[in-house]
């Protein structure tokens, strides 16, 4: 398995495009389409927010109940959430237009939206966008990148990845595009991520792999603790690599699982590092916890702490805030056993051990915390389980971006 | 019952003082003492953080098990948390010095600390501070104010309140001082608050009243979602108003309860309004929820949402973020029944009703959101329960204060 250049058009048989439909933004692309030459197995995981956007409800039926999809239509600018019956109608109409243009059943078209909540979509412009996209989709790397750019909102860079791996003697590919740097929270991804692969795999095994992989990847990131109404991670598998179809666990499933897991880990880190206003990726690695679930909760509590995030922005080794965040996580533990160090490319510094602070070189600590990727390394000395969570620092720009995002 | 001028020295028999002991800060008072002429019934509620500061563990024994206290010693600058055995020793020594100076048993001296976590206290300076305070405590209003000022950290104003009320035909008083504008989170107060009263009440009834009152007052505020290691709310009741001692529920208990509830509500709002960097008090009032607990969870979820808080700072009626925060609160509800309006002294605007956004005057909404106190009014149309939570906006100054608080 290796990471290669590419995105959603890397796997065989997938086309994509981006287009400027002026849904809300001007002078940029704001709609994207992904299309597979043949019908795909599909699976998805979605926001657990009670307030679900119309497209989330639409996609859940397709990915979870029907299991077959062939295209995706995405727009940025308006989330189509809290939009009632009208929002649902727009979803269905968009799928109908796309189905007609692409010559596929309308109920194999996945829909996704991101942007302002509580605003209605302009159906006329959506329709024009879909028609235009159907005419320009291509299987080139550039087409994939155009699609990835079109779905950005406050992201500072587009997010793509591709991997090559082997299943049953056949070379397979998996690629993805994603967006999202705000409204990112652990309970579910809180962003949009679309994965395409040419591996042959049944719907059941695809959903199983996806549901399992998100637990330690997308569910372990947070930018600001707000969980979106639109979070969606969907995968399309068209089988064009001609491997023997994966229908049960085994070596082939494991190969695919490993590729999907690597893809989701790398993409999750991209989301965290591009957190709104962020200057650094902040990782918390918890080891020797008593249970896996507790390791996850502890790691997430640290990367979600506003005070800790602000300290990271200030390059301040204020480790007491990390201990504090471990303490209010809900996990019961003995504070007198915890060992804490701060690490980055610039080195490592031990700051706390078994109940007492350690004298450390402030200057060295500041240097370590001034890197682009900073890790809080926590040894609970309570068992053998570990987990990693990813977040970012809290900056002036986070406030600036969100104080006036809508207008 | 009426609110009057005053603080911790308003109730009969209480003295207080502030003093500059240079625990960490220079050129300001950083230690305070409260002393009652006679032993008091005492009660307390404390942080639920697993990582508890040494003074919290000290005070829990006195307020919960022994039930009698006569003095309080507080310092700002260092939290005496994550300080191991040495931190516990310093607590005990501080109580011993105070006991000796004041001529009372050392185990009737409550201790509280606030400031940097993971730093040891300078015992020599603490001792000098306690000795100085014992010599200058006074029963004047000014002395109470000096004490209130000495315990501030990033607070922009000192927090005091006093009330007069009647119990069993006797005029009673209750007063308080508090600090805390960061590390404030709903699960427990996350600040220090000291309440003094001259009412006569048994330890059991005092603890009962306090534990009940915090649920809808201090536990309903949040500044940043971080729960401190030091949160403490303690009360001393010395009985000097000579009312028949309250030992059971009834009219007298109700009178006292009402006064304590009003005091805690007003103080909790002061904490929220003085949230680090805050420019506005942000209140969420949820009505017609199915259960009381769900009403509380919904209201708190809204005032804790970073995105909503940033929108309040930007005076932006981005109501979708409020619906989103209701949705991820963990409470199950029907989004199509929710009615949402935004209110302040400048007026009220309806923004969302039963599944769809309402067209509203943006200019009027901005004016409403530009006030110092802003309310999100949420009608769940699911029952008859209600709750209110208080927070503040998220500003550049919050980040500034916390990016470099320690150094």
């Amino acid at each position: 398995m290796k990471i290669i250049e590419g995105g959603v058009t890397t796997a065989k048989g997938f086309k994509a495009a981006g287009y400027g439909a002026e849904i809300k933004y001007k002078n940029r692309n704001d709609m994207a389409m992904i299309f597979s030459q043949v019908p795909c197995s599909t699976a998805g995981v979605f926001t657990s927010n009670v307030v679900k956007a119309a497209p989330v409800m639409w996609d859940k039926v397709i990915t979870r109940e029907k299991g077959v999809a062939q295209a995706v239509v995405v727009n940025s600018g308006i989330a189509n959430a809290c939009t009632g019956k009208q929002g649902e109608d727009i979803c269905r109409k968009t799928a109908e237009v796309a189905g007609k243009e692409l010559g596929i059943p309308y109920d194999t078209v996945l829909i996704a939206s991101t942007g302002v909540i509580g605003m209605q979509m302009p159906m006329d412009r959506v329709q024009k966008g879909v028609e235009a996209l159907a005419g320009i989709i291509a299987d080139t790397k550039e087409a994939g990148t155009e699609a990835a750019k079109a779905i950005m909102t406050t992201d500072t860079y587009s997010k793509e990845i591709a991997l090559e791996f082997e299943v049953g003697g056949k070379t397979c590919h998996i690629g993805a595009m994603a967006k999202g740097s705000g409204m990112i929270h652990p309970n579910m991804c809180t962003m949009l991520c679309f994965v395409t692969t040419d591996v042959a795999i049944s719907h059941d095994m695809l959903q199983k792999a996806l549901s399992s992989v998100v637990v330690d990847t997308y569910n372990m990131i947070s930018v600001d603790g707000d969980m979106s109404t639109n979070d969606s991670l969907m995968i399309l598998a068209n089988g064009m690599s001609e491997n023997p179809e994966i229908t049960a666990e085994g070596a082939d499933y494991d190969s695919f699982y490993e590729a999907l897991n690597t893809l989701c880990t790398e993409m999750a880190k991209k989301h965290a590092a591009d957190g709104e206003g962020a200057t650094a990726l902040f990782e918390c690695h918890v080891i020797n916890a008593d249970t896996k679930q507790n390791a996850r909760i502890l790691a997430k509590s640290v990367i979600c702490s506003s005070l800790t995030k602000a300290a990271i922005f200030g390059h301040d080794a204020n480790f007491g805030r990390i201990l504090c965040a471990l303490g209010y996580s809900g996990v019961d533990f003995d504070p007198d056993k915890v060992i804490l160090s701060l690490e980055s490319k610039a080195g490592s510094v031990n700051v706390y051990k078994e109940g007492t602070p350690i004298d450390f070189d402030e200057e060295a600590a500041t240097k370590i915390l001034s890197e682009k990727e900073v890790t809080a390394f926590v040894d609970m000395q309570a068992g053998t389980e570990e987990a990693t969570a990813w977040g970012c620092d809290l900056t002036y720009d986070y406030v600036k971006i969100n104080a006036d995002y809508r207008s």
Side-chain angles (χ1 to χ4, degrees), chain A:
Chain A
M1 186 188 67
K2 62 179 180 188
I3 293 178
I4 58 175
E5 284 272 299
V8 288
T9 53
T10 301
K12 280 176 211 155
F14 283 98
K15 294 179 177 181
Y19 180 76
E22 300 198 339
I23 302 297
K24 177 162 178 288
Y25 304 125
K26 309 281 175 202
N27 306 316
R28 55 158 281 189
N29 286 353
D30 60 354
M31 284 193 76
M33 181 180 277
I34 302 172
F35 175 68
S36 168
Q37 219 172 293
V38 296
C40 307
S41 277
T42 186
V45 285
F46 301 92
T47 181
S48 55
N49 198 311
V50 173
V51 180
K52 288 175 177 57
V56 168
M57 294 187 284
W58 176 264
D59 295 336
K60 273 193 130 173
V61 175
I62 297 176
T63 57
R64 297 295 185 90
E65 293 169 28
K66 302 187 176 174
V68 179
Q70 198 166 348
V72 187
V73 175
V74 197
N75 77 278
S76 54
I78 299 178
N80 196 6
C82 304
T83 46
K85 179 75 173 57
Q86 193 178 332
E88 289 169 35
D89 289 347
I90 279 171
C91 246
R92 191 192 172 92
K93 275 183 208 157
T94 306
E96 284 170 353
V97 174
K100 192 177 149 215
E101 293 293 319
L102 297 166
I104 58 174
Y106 77 96
D107 62 355
T108 64
V109 179
L110 297 165
I111 307 286
S113 298
T114 175
V116 177
I117 301 170
M119 186 182 277
Q120 295 292 0
M121 302 265 284
M123 187 59 219
D124 51 339
R125 278 174 271 166
V126 172
Q127 174 157 356
K128 278 182 197 154
V130 172
E131 288 164 357
L133 285 162
I136 57 172
I137 44 171
D139 60 5
T140 59
K141 188 161 84 64
E142 291 68 31
T145 301
E146 282 304 310
K149 283 183 183 166
I151 64 173
M152 290 164 65
T153 54
T154 52
D155 306 64
T156 63
Y157 49 81
S158 62
K159 297 168 183 69
E160 290 184 273
I161 192 170
L163 282 87
E164 194 175 284
F165 58 106
E166 286 217 352
V167 175
K170 297 286 182 181
T171 301
C172 301
H173 304 87
I174 189 165
M177 69 177 191
K179 65 76 49 180
S181 60
M183 277 204 170
I184 298 209
H185 191 59
N187 276 355
M188 219 317 280
C189 23
T190 323
M191 37 81 256
L192 301 179
C193 181
F194 308 96
V195 186
T196 56
T197 179
D198 43 27
V199 82
I201 183 168
S202 70
H203 164 67
D204 286 352
M205 296 312 289
L206 191 62
Q207 184 65 53
K208 181 181 175 137
L210 188 66
S211 296
S212 171
V213 156
V214 292
V215 176
D216 283 304
T217 59
Y218 269 105
N219 284 4
M220 292 302 284
I221 60 173
S222 177
V223 168
D224 58 11
D226 278 281
M227 194 201 323
S228 157
T229 48
N230 291 54
D231 303 342
S232 306
L233 166 56
M234 293 183 270
I235 184 164
L236 300 174
N238 68 8
M240 288 181 72
S241 71
E242 298 184 333
N243 62 291
E245 190 185 20
I246 300 169
T247 55
E249 291 197 39
D252 288 358
Y253 177 80
D254 292 346
S255 299
F256 172 70
Y257 189 94
E258 190 194 355
L260 184 62
N261 193 53
T262 303
L263 179 141
C264 286
T265 303
E266 293 306 313
M267 286 302 256
K269 286 168 75 170
K270 279 180 207 271
H271 286 282
D274 195 24
E276 286 177 343
T279 68
L281 174 70
F282 175 44
E283 178 178 279
C284 180
H285 188 52
V286 170
I287 64 163
N288 297 325
D290 56 348
T291 70
K292 184 81 180 166
Q293 188 53 17
N294 282 349
R296 290 183 185 122
I297 293 168
L298 289 163
K300 279 202 283 193
S301 186
V302 170
I303 59 112
C304 287
S305 154
S306 292
L307 287 171
T308 303
K309 290 157 55 116
I312 298 295
F313 174 53
H315 308 152
D316 178 16
N318 198 330
F319 66 90
R321 293 180 181 172
I322 295 174
L323 289 165
C324 182
L326 295 168
Y328 64 65
S329 65
V331 172
D332 194 24
F333 64 89
D334 181 355
D336 288 347
K337 283 198 169 171
V338 176
I339 303 173
L340 175 61
S341 62
L342 301 170
E343 304 182 358
S344 76
K345 272 199 314 193
S348 168
V349 61
N350 296 315
V351 292
Y352 181 84
K353 187 171 180 177
E354 298 170 357
T356 32
I358 296 169
D359 275 329
F360 60 86
D361 180 345
E362 287 281 355
E363 208 174 310
T366 301
K367 208 174 155 209
I368 287 163
L369 295 179
S370 300
E371 290 292 322
K372 285 275 166 214
E373 298 192 4
V374 172
T375 300
F377 192 86
V378 183
D379 184 348
M380 302 300 294
Q381 293 201 92
T384 57
E385 296 294 342
E386 62 182 300
T388 305
W390 300 276
C392 58
D393 55 343
L394 175 62
T395 70
Y396 300 124
D397 280 352
Y398 176 84
V399 178
K400 188 174 180 182
I401 290 164
N402 286 301
D404 202 26
Y405 167 62
R406 193 188 53 128
S407 355

